[in-house]
């Protein structure tokens, strides 16, 4: 993680980590995209060919999971793909590469932690009823802010 101290707070980013990951997964020649997951694609647990190297998928998802510390915009997508770690399939890997293409579009987002002395706590949440086609389980997400700085 990279930390830049400023007069009004600090900036935390993982830009170098993203660029190294894009290079190691050879995404440089692939076009970028504007959303972390393709909204037209539904992923199923047993659809598609099983991966011959499931460890490749697991390592990629692990790196993307580490990246969610500063890239909250990919949190839902990574959590969704994490469900397929036990038996990853080709469509799951394609969806993971879609996230890499999304990161390629802008590898520099960061978190700004303000020095302002606000003790206002705000929390936002959202849920999706029966979001997963295989299990019909729901999914929810949240963010908690102290002032304008994200906590969780």
């Amino acid at each position: 993680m990279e930390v830049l101290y400023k007069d009004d707070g600090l900036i935390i980013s993982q830009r170098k980590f993203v660029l190294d990951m894009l290079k190691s997964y050879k995404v440089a020649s692939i076009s970028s995209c504007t959303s972390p997951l393709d909204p037209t694609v539904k992923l199923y647990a047993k659809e598609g060919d099983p991966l011959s190297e499931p460890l490749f998928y697991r390592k990629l998802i692990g790196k993307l999971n580490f990246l969610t510390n500063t890239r909250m915009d990919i949190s839902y997508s990574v959590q969704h793909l994490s469900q397929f770690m036990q038996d990853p399939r080709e469509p799951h890997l394609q969806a993971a590469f879609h996230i890499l293409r999304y990161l390629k579009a802008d590898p520099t987002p960061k978190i700004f932690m303000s020095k302002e002395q606000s003790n206002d706590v705000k929390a936002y949440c959202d849920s999706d009823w029966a979001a997963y086609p295989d299990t019909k389980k729901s999914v929810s997400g949240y963010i908690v802010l102290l002032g304008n700085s994200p906590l969780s």
Side-chain angles (χ1 to χ4, degrees), residues 50-93:
L51 296 178
S52 59
E53 294 287 332
L55 187 60
F56 179 81
Y57 177 82
R58 293 177 185 131
K59 285 182 178 181
L60 173 55
I61 298 302
K63 289 178 181 184
L64 290 170
N65 192 40
F66 175 71
L67 192 56
T68 62
N69 288 313
T70 59
R71 295 291 303 253
M72 292 180 213
D73 53 336
I74 65 169
S75 293
Y76 171 80
S77 304
V78 173
Q79 179 271 332
H80 185 56
L81 293 178
S82 295
Q83 295 180 55
F84 308 112
M85 297 283 264
Q86 191 68 22
D87 184 21
R89 307 273 175 146
E90 193 60 39
H92 309 143
L93 183 60

Side-chain angles (χ1 to χ4, degrees), residues 38-50:
D38 186 345
T40 63
V41 173
K42 283 280 190 189
L43 297 172
Y44 297 89
K46 299 295 181 186
E47 185 177 280
D49 295 329

Side-chain angles (χ1 to χ4, degrees), residues 106-124:
D106 188 5
T108 59
K110 48 202 158 275
I111 293 179
F112 177 71
M113 303 295 287
S114 175
K115 279 188 176 178
E116 83 177 37
Q117 298 294 335
S118 174
N119 291 327
D120 295 337
V121 176
K122 295 178 232 162
Y124 301 93

Side-chain angles (χ1 to χ4, degrees), residues 76 79-80 83 126-132 137-141:
Y76 171 80
Q79 179 271 332
H80 185 56
Q83 295 180 55
D126 193 12
S127 63
D128 188 353
W129 181 260
Y132 299 115
K137 288 185 178 180
S138 300
V139 65
S140 62

